[in-house]
Amino acid sequence: MKRAAPWAARNADVAIALTLAIVVGVLGIMPDEIFGAEGDVIQRQLVTASTLVILALVATALLRDRARQAPVEKTITSGALAELPVRLERLEEIETLAHSTRKALDSLQLVRVLGSKHEIAQCHAEARRDTTRWSFKGGTGTYLRAVTLPLCVAAARRDKRHLTVRIEVIDPSDEEVCETYAHYRRSLSDVPDGTGERWTTDRARKESYATILAAFWHRQRYGLLDIAVGLSSTMTTFRWDMSSTRLIMTVEDPNMAMTALADTFYYENCYTELRLSFEQARRVPLEMYKKVPLSDEPTIEEVQELFERIGMPLPKSYNGHDVVDIARKALRAVDPYREPRPAIPQQDGA
């Protein structure tokens, strides 16, 4: 009763109609004799009157509900529904803003750090896959000769597609920059690297000469290779490798590198940096690749004549052994990032 009383107070008309309906139902099933001699007539009159009252109360309740709903409907139709197109337009603007924000955040993720040799090697493999261009800037290009250039050229030849390569290394004819580079490498580690050699000024010069020789050798053997080499008089502590899909920056630590995907802020700015740096480097005249044909195994005379014809004669102190060493480094370069091996002891005068 305590719970029913508040409800009956708020809905008096409905409560009365319900009560009358119960009374009419009771009167309808009561015997006629209870109402006296004219019980049948009296019973019908009571039922009819009560029914009319119930209908009136129901109609009153319906009118009251409609009166209560009218302001709500008016508010909905004139307020929320009227503003719906504007709100939908704002929602579309918010979605556009969220998409732009997500794209900006992706671009702000400048680089991803690679923390192992395996990750770096895998990243290089992904960068080489189906690339149509490669740009390199670094010291002497040892890894480029050992892995990157041969594999990129082989993939391009297999797919019969064009390949553009831009290489910038230190100038082998500039003894000062070669000594600076060798000193820097020795200061980080004085033990042999993955090639089994220590860094000296002579090695830095030969490695750079070998990169030039390798560029000519590959250009002569693949007609769809557009390759250019620039020589820098300054060294860099970074090595940039850039393909169509990603940038990889390595340092002397073989277990540390950074990478950035194409179309990101960092990638685009590094692309501009490499292009401008290459334009300022001294250009090797690779357009003369037809002037001095190189054998599959270049001879000493072929290598010497090549460097003479391009205006970069080898040092007069170089003998046949030195020229063979340059050719070996050019075409059979050892991956410098493999596990170091001990240097081979040499006898005096060897």
Side-chain angles (χ1 to χ4, degrees):
M1 291 297 292
K2 290 181 179 180
R3 289 194 299 270
W7 178 86
R10 290 192 303 270
N11 303 277
D13 47 1
V14 178
I16 295 173
L18 180 59
T19 304
L20 289 175
I22 295 173
V23 171
V24 170
V26 173
L27 290 175
I29 62 175
M30 291 180 63
D32 298 339
E33 291 79 5
I34 296 177
F35 300 96
E38 299 181 356
D40 183 36
V41 177
I42 295 172
Q43 186 181 29
R44 283 199 303 272
Q45 290 177 349
L46 289 173
V47 171
T48 301
S50 300
T51 303
L52 292 175
V53 173
I54 292 171
L55 292 174
L57 291 172
V58 171
T60 302
L62 292 174
L63 291 174
R64 184 193 63 186
D65 289 342
R66 289 183 179 179
R68 290 177 178 176
Q69 292 175 2
V72 178
E73 293 177 353
K74 183 178 180 181
T75 301
I76 294 175
T77 55
S78 62
L81 290 179
E83 295 177 359
L84 185 59
V86 178
R87 293 185 178 182
L88 290 176
E89 185 177 352
R90 289 179 181 175
L91 181 61
E92 185 176 354
E93 292 177 357
I94 292 173
E95 290 179 351
T96 303
L97 179 61
H99 177 73
S100 301
T101 303
R102 188 183 304 111
K103 186 175 180 180
L105 289 174
D106 291 340
S107 297
L108 288 175
Q109 293 178 352
L110 299 181
V111 295
R112 180 168 64 92
V113 176
L114 307 175
S116 68
K117 289 183 180 180
H118 175 72
E119 274 190 297
I120 296 172
Q122 184 177 11
C123 192
H124 271 92
E126 292 173 357
R128 291 192 299 267
R129 186 178 300 118
D130 300 328
T131 189
T132 57
R133 59 183 173 89
W134 194 281
S135 296
F136 171 83
K137 178 182 178 181
T140 60
T142 307
Y143 183 81
L144 177 81
R145 282 179 277 111
V147 180
T148 304
L149 187 57
L151 292 181
C152 284
V153 172
R157 180 181 285 109
R158 182 181 62 247
D159 299 336
K160 297 179 176 59
R161 54 179 165 79
H162 184 269
L163 177 64
T164 301
V165 179
R166 296 291 179 265
I167 304 170
E168 183 178 346
V169 293
I170 59 174
D171 191 340
S173 62
D174 189 332
E175 188 171 353
E176 183 177 352
V177 70
C178 291
E179 168 58 30
T180 301
Y181 182 75
H183 176 74
Y184 170 71
R185 295 296 298 265
R186 287 195 308 270
S187 66
L188 298 179
S189 176
D190 197 31
V191 299
D193 60 12
T195 65
E197 299 181 67
R198 290 184 174 88
W199 278 98
T200 63
T201 303
D202 185 60
R203 180 190 172 187
R205 299 183 73 180
K206 288 180 178 179
E207 297 281 358
S208 192
Y209 276 125
T211 298
I212 298 172
L213 178 60
F216 275 97
W217 191 87
H218 285 288
R219 179 64 183 90
Q220 290 181 5
R221 278 155 181 77
Y222 187 52
L224 298 181
L225 174 62
D226 176 14
I227 188 169
V229 179
L231 304 177
S232 175
S233 59
T234 58
M235 61 154 286
T236 174
T237 59
F238 288 104
R239 287 185 293 273
W240 285 268
D241 285 279
M242 177 177 284
S243 72
S244 307
T245 58
R246 68 177 62 231
L247 164 74
I248 306 170
M249 291 180 62
T250 53
V251 291
E252 297 310 319
D253 186 346
N255 293 304
M256 294 298 296
M258 297 178 290
T259 181
L261 296 177
D263 299 326
T264 59
F265 172 81
Y266 194 71
Y267 177 95
E268 296 299 331
N269 280 271
C270 284
Y271 176 78
T272 303
E273 168 69 20
L274 293 181
R275 182 174 61 84
L276 293 176
S277 178
F278 185 80
E279 289 178 356
Q280 297 176 68
R282 182 163 73 99
R283 198 68 58 85
V284 175
L286 266 148
E287 63 276 4
M288 298 180 63
Y289 70 94
K290 293 182 179 179
K291 301 295 184 181
V292 185
L294 297 171
S295 306
D296 290 343
E297 297 290 338
T299 63
I300 295 175
E301 292 75 16
E302 289 175 346
V303 175
Q304 290 176 328
E305 184 180 358
L306 171 67
F307 284 104
E308 289 283 350
R309 295 291 293 272
I310 65 175
M312 295 181 60
L314 296 175
K316 294 181 179 180
S317 59
Y318 278 14
N319 55 28
H321 174 78
D322 295 313
V323 177
V324 170
D325 196 24
I326 292 174
R328 177 185 59 80
K329 291 177 180 294
L331 305 180
R332 290 185 174 81
V334 179
D335 183 356
Y337 297 114
R338 71 179 188 176
E339 291 300 324
R341 61 184 181 184
I344 301 174
Q346 296 182 352
Q347 300 293 332
D348 293 338

